[in-house]
């Protein structure tokens, strides 16, 4: 997604080409499971925490830079609803917000054209509704899948679930891995599972949710990241949002360093999606600085970086209004999603 | 750039911190400063410009203190000292607490002013320097509070002259002033010429904190002012942080003056990366090690030692990381590397790197067009023999080489004259905890770097100086044992009588070197006569070659330092046992030499046995500490032996003096070269027979006899000796301290004062403290 000063007549086509990784980048074909590599991976927790703690103090974006960064953040959001009480009406409203995330007067004041969120993320049952609601916007629909969030339903059903969501029009599938494979060091099983999920996705691109809050150690997070990338994940993602601990900066640092090493070794760029707990504009800026400094600007685009978030957008809108007016904003001044 | 453009480039953009408040504070002083003496500022008379190194702009005029100013400051400190020390610890704690609080309340003003004056990034002054300053005052407020209960046997030194560097202006001020005033000293502090402004702001704060007049005096100026402080006759202690070169000058200038001295000097600290390390974290650690404060850090991890198998990959990652560093306006909140402190320093760095061998890589980043900036630099492929591997650069320049094995890493790490800090990266706890004690350094960080805290001692070994700052050990530098010193009368050898009596059978006392008796190289001996005109025997006159041999033997007995305290205790008990078996013989010897009554002589032997038991007891009980530092992890303060200690034994107690000094030294794992009592040397030569029968490994204790005055400069000047103690009745203090400057060995001399060897001052913790170095090993943990 690009923002132009001219109103675009062809947003949908350009948006579609920008958000889907398979269009921008050669898709990660995976590689043979390299257990030597996996087992040699180290992650020193206190050092990682120290680095993570200084990202926000070493980097700061102000004024028009901050506004531009926040606009970019919007294009990175997988606007998400994963609630038991989701209905067709609720999902349609969310999709409408995804297509028009910021008030038009604010965009005009900043001199930017229309923009959208990166995707909309729903459960399988809401895929068709979302696909229909987003028709013509170019915004892809992501479906959480494979027995989300615990991933403990029968394996054939998990595979079948992917197939159903793809058939329903989901362009992105957020699968959950079997945590027990990580916790028992059964990397082969994790690799095989991930490969099967990837195959079931076909052309839809696959995000591997590691559920990092349940993996026990950062070393496990790093090793699981490598195994999933080796098995062909297009994205690695922290959390379902349902674990006790979701996306954190230390976990993110661990995962994106794995992405960097995988890219150095294979030449393939894997995307990253922190999910759960990122609700403030300031947090989003810190994550973006982390991506920029550790991976580079290429990973600040929606085909390689997404926020899994539901309330982040609201805070960003308020900050943008503050930028435009110089006065602090209120939530009710912005349309709900 | 407008918003749509930035949306595409995703640049960081400027994020300047406002300097308005700091500049306004300078204006309240009309941008001209005098000296803080006796609680008020003198008028600015003459001085120099203090500039912002990032822009070259003049910030203020700082005064150049005159000799009169320094005299007045010392006089004010002297006048205030007694009543300040007489206040209760709680009273002093209140003042330190107020300083801590006020620093916190003015933290941003301090941070901005520090960055303006020094050029360090605002992130560092805001998040590291100033919080550590406040922490240091809090911590030492607590030390003042606890002093009466916990340090009852020690008292303040008096007036302290403190000279601090420009790299951490306010932090070094805090490290110096907080412990000094907490213990009841008063201070005359000189900030560095380049960076006096935060010290002057602190001076303003002192008045608000209720610091009594004269307790803190601040004089500004260049090295000449420092020299006035160092040589001032009414100052009791000098504390200096700065270059090894100046530290050496100070050591010489204060030699024999009786001033106590602590020096925190330069370094070329190794940064060791093993192949099982978390490499990304180790790369990131280097950002904190060598690109922290533009590398102008005495303990900067400036010498990268990386295991050969991962070296290329490590360098690649490091170069990529360097290219992500942001360098520029130090007041920008989005800057990693700021300005070098002064054009002079910039030139030094530039000259050192120019024409360096090896592979020089400089970060490919945007550089400001003006101001004192130097790019982050990595020089790989250097050999240990290259100058840049040996010399401190004090800039953002990292030099690197490789190693093959853990042993080789230690050898390379220790192949330096410095010994300030070291960093070890490994995920293997066995390896990391094995390497840390082997490194010649005062501070070791495991899987981290440049961690500091008021509770953890900081300071070096070798030519990185001596003394610790922080923790209980830091208070030793600002206190002394209570008691008044009595002067020690020189004791001359008994002159030969006209008609002497000779023994029935001649006995030969030799030198004792490396566990063997050795004839003196020079082939000279001296007849030793008793006061009753009886010839007691002949003592060898050791010369410099005997001394060299003894030091070599002591150095060869390195294994002693690695033995367990339990083993050393057993050997000390065994010495006592064997001495006890020959009690009568030793008593007769002492009587014969000194003319002491038989009862007194027997008492000296008994006291010697008792003393051996004391240090046998201590050998496995002088524990280190786990410090309560504010992080998930521990800082271990471990006592390590100093190394080889040269020792001039007391003349007055020929056996007890020898035992009282040798025993604590070897109990702590040191090896000694002891020069026996000069007038009464034969008790010591008898004693080597006791050592011989007590399982003391050869070389651990070496005993020489001879002329103290002649041997003192040789032993103190020997570059492979780590410490020299003198309790001789010949006043050797000036000669020893001056010669010790060569390798900055630790000294403990008596300045012509006596010590009651039979009493409490003849034993105890002061001896153990002198016989050990505190090494602080930081071990952050967490999985």
């Amino acid at each position: 997604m690009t923002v132009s000063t001219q109103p675009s007549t062809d947003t949908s086509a350009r948006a579609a080409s920008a958000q889907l990784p398979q269009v921008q980048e050669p898709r990660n074909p995976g590689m043979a499971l390299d257990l030597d590599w996996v087992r040699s991976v180290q992650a020193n927790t206190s050092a990682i925490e120290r680095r993570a703690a200084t990202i926000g103090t070493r980097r700061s974006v102000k004024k028009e830079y901050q506004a531009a960064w926040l606009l970019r953040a919007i294009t990175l959001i997988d606007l998400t609803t994963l609630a038991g009480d989701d209905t067709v009406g609720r999902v349609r409203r969310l999709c409408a917000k995804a297509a028009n995330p910021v008030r038009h007067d604010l965009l005009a004041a900043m001199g930017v054209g229309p923009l959208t969120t990166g995707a909309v993320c729903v459960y399988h049952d809401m895929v068709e509704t979302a696909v229909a609601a987003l028709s013509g916007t170019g915004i892809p629909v992501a479906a959480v899948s494979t027995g989300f969030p615990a991933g403990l339903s029968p394996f054939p059903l998990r595979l079948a679930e992917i197939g159903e969501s793809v058939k329903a029009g989901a362009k992105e599938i957020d699968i959950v891995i079997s945590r027990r494979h990580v916790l028992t060091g059964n990397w082969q099983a994790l690799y095989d599972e991930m490969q099967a999920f990837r195959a079931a996705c076909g052309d839809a691109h696959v995000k591997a949710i590691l559920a990092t809050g349940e993996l026990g150690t950062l070393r496990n997070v790093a090793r699981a990241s490598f195994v999933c990338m080796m098995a062909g994940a297009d994205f690695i993602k922290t959390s379902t949002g349902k674990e006790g601990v979701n996306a954190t900066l230390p976990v993110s640092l661990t995962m994106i360093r794995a992405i960097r090493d995988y890219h150095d070794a294979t030449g393939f760029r894997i995307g990253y999606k922190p999910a759960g707990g990122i609700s403030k504009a300031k947090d989003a800026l810190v994550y973006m600085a982390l991506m920029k400094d550790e991976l580079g600007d290429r990973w600040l685009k929606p085909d390689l970086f997404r926020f899994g978030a539901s309330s982040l957008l609201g805070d960003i809108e308020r900050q943008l209004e503050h930028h435009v007016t110089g006065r602090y904003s209120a939530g009710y001044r912005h349309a709900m999603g | 750039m407008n918003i749509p453009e930035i949306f595409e480039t995703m640049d960081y953009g400027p994020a300047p911190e406002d300097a308005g408040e700091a500049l306004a504070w300078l204006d309240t002083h009309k941008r001209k400063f005098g000296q803080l003496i006796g609680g008020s500022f003198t008028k600015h008379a003459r001085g120099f410009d203090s500039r912002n190194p990032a822009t070259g702009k003049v910030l203020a005029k700082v005064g150049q203190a005159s000799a009169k100013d320094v005299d007045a400051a010392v006089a004010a400190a002297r006048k205030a000292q007694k009543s300040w020390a007489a206040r209760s610890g709680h009273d002093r704690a209140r003042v330190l607490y107020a300083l801590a609080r006020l620093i916190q309340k003015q933290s941003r003003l301090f941070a901005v002013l520090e960055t303006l004056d020094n050029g360090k990034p605002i992130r560092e002054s805001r998040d590291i320097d100033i919080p550590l300053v406040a922490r240091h005052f809090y911590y030492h407020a607590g030390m003042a509070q606890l002093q009466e209960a916990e340090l009852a046997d020690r008292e303040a030194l008096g007036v302290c002259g403190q000279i601090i560097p420009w790299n951490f202006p306010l932090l070094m001020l805090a490290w110096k002033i907080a412990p000094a005033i907490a213990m009841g000293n008063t201070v005359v502090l000189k900030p560095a010429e380049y960076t006096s402004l935060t010290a002057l702001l602190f001076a303003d704060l002192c008045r608000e904190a209720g610091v009594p007049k004269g307790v803190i005096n601040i004089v500004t100026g260049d090295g000449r002012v420092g020299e006035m402080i160092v040589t001032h006759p009414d100052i009791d202690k000098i504390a200096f942080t700065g270059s090894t070169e100046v530290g050496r000058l100070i050591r010489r200038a204060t030699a024999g003056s009786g001033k106590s001295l602590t020096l925190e000097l330069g370094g070329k600290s190794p940064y060791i990366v093993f192949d099982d390390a978390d490499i990304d974290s180790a790369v990131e650690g280097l950002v904190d090690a060598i690109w922290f404060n533009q590398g102008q850090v005495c303990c900067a991890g400036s010498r990268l030692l990386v295991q050969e198998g991962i070296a290329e990959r490590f360098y690649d990652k490091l170069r990529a990381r360097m290219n992500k560093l942001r360098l520029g306006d130090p007041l920008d909140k989005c800057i990693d590397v700021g300005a070098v402190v002064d054009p002079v320093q910039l030139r030094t760095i530039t000259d050192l790197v120019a024409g360096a061998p090896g592979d020089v890589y400089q970060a490919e980043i945007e550089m400001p067009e003006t101001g004192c900036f130097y790019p982050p630099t990595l020089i790989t492929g250097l050999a240990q023999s290259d100058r840049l591997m040996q010399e401190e650069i004090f800039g953002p320049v990292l030099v690197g080489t490789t190693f093959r094995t853990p042993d080789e890493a230690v050898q390379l790490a220790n192949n330096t004259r410095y010994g300030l800090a070291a960093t070890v990266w490994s995920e293997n706890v066995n390896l990391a905890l094995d390497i840390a004690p082997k490194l010649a350094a005062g501070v070791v960080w495991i899987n981290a770097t440049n961690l500091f805290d008021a509770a953890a001692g900081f300071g070096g070994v070798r030519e990185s100086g001596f003394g610790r700052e922080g923790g209980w050990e830091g208070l030793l530098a600002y206190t002394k044992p209570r008691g008044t010193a009595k002067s020690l009368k020189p004791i001359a050898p008994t002159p030969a009588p006209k008609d002497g009596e000779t023994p029935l059978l001649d006995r030969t006392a030799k030198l004792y070197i490396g566990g063997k008796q050795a004839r003196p190289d020079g082939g000279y001996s001296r007849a030793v006569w008793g006061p009753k005109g009886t010839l007691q025997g002949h003592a060898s006159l050791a010369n410099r070659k005997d001394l060299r041999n003894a030091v070599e033997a002591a150095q060869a007995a390195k294994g002693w330092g690695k033995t367990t305290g339990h083993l050393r205790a057993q050997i000390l008990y065994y010495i006592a046992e064997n001495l006890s078996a020959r009690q009568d013989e030793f008593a007769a010897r002492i009587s014969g030499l000194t003319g002491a009554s038989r009862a007194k002589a027997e008492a000296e032997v008994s006291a010697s046995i008792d003393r051996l038991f004391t240090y046998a007891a201590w050998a496995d009980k002088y524990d280190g500490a786990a410090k309560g530092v504010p992080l998930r992890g521990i800082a271990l303060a471990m006592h390590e032996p100093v190394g080889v200690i040269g020792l001039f034994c007391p003349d007055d107690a020929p056996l007890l003096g020898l035992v009282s000094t040798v025993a604590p030294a070897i109990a702590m794992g040191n090896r000694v070269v002891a020069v026996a009592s000069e007038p009464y040397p034969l008790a010591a030569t008898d004693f080597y027979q006791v050592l011989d029968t007590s399982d003391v490994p050869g070389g651990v204790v070496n005993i020489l006899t001879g002329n103290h005055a002649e041997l003192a400069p040789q032993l103190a000047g020997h570059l492979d000796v780590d410490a020299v103690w003198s309790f001789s009745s010949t006043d050797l203090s000036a000669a020893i301290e001056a010669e010790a400057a060569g390798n900055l060995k630790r000294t403990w001399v008596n300045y012509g004062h006596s010590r009651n060897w039979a009493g409490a001052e003849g034993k105890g913790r002061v001896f153990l403290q002198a016989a050990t170095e505190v090494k602080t090993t930081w071990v952050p943990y967490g999985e």
Side-chain angles (χ1 to χ4, degrees), chain B residues 185-207:
Chain B
N185 301 279
T186 54
V187 304
V188 176
L189 175 130
K190 187 190 92 68
E193 185 185 356
Y194 296 147
T195 55
S196 303
L197 298 181
T198 46
L200 295 164
L201 173 58
F202 177 82
D204 260 5
L205 226 63
C206 286
R207 297 189 281 194

Side-chain angles (χ1 to χ4, degrees), chain A residues 72-85:
Chain A
R72 177 66 78 87
I74 291 172
T75 70
L76 304 172
I77 293 175
D78 277 4
L79 200 61
T80 301
T81 183
L82 297 170
D85 58 359

Side-chain angles (χ1 to χ4, degrees), chain B residues 628-640:
Chain B
V629 289
L631 99 160
R632 190 186 59 225
I634 38 171
L636 297 169
M638 298 200 283
H639 291 129
E640 294 191 342

Side-chain angles (χ1 to χ4, degrees), chain A residues 3 42-45 49-51 57-59 61 65 69 72 111 219 257 260-261 288 292-293, chain B residues 4 7 10-12 123 126 278 280 284 288 313 317 324 334 336 427 447-448 632 782-783:
Chain A
V3 174
Q42 303 288 10
N44 186 283
T45 299
E49 286 171 349
R50 280 196 302 279
R51 164 66 171 151
T57 59
R58 281 182 183 275
R59 294 293 176 258
V61 276
Y65 286 85
W69 277 53
R72 177 66 78 87
R219 225 176 290 270
R257 282 176 173 174
R260 185 170 65 199
D261 279 349
M288 290 164 78
K292 181 178 172 74
D293 280 13
Chain B
F7 183 96
M10 290 298 286
D11 286 341
Y12 280 115
R123 178 193 77 89
R126 180 195 65 203
D278 173 352
D280 286 310
E284 192 60 40
D288 295 326
R313 175 101 181 107
K317 279 179 172 273
K324 293 286 184 184
C334 198
D336 298 305
E427 288 300 295
N447 291 326
R632 190 186 59 225
E783 178 65 53

Side-chain angles (χ1 to χ4, degrees), chain B residues 434-445:
Chain B
D434 180 46
I435 296 297
K438 292 178 178 167
L439 296 170
V443 184
V444 178
W445 293 290

Side-chain angles (χ1 to χ4, degrees), chain B residues 198-269:
Chain B
T198 46
L200 295 164
L201 173 58
F202 177 82
D204 260 5
L205 226 63
C206 286
R207 297 189 281 194
E208 293 174 30
V211 178
K213 287 177 182 170
V215 169
I216 296 174
N217 304 275
I218 295 174
V219 292
T220 55
D222 58 20
R224 287 171 295 176
V225 181
E227 204 179 326
M228 290 173 205
I229 292 174
V230 165
T231 56
H232 200 288
D234 201 27
I235 283 180
D236 302 299
K237 191 239 157 76
I238 298 292
F240 171 74
T241 296
S243 70
T244 292
E245 187 192 346
V246 175
R248 223 187 292 282
L249 293 175
I250 292 176
R251 171 71 289 182
R252 291 202 178 104
T254 57
S257 68
K259 286 188 178 82
S260 69
L261 178 65
T262 45
L263 299 172
E264 202 269 89
L265 307 175
K268 189 79 179 175
S269 296

Side-chain angles (χ1 to χ4, degrees), chain B residues 155-157 160 162 176 179-180 183 185 237 239 474-479:
Chain B
E155 62 182 358
L157 292 168
C160 302
Q162 306 181 315
K176 295 284 181 284
M183 294 294 105
N185 301 279
K237 191 239 157 76
L475 301 182
L476 295 177
Y478 288 101
T479 54

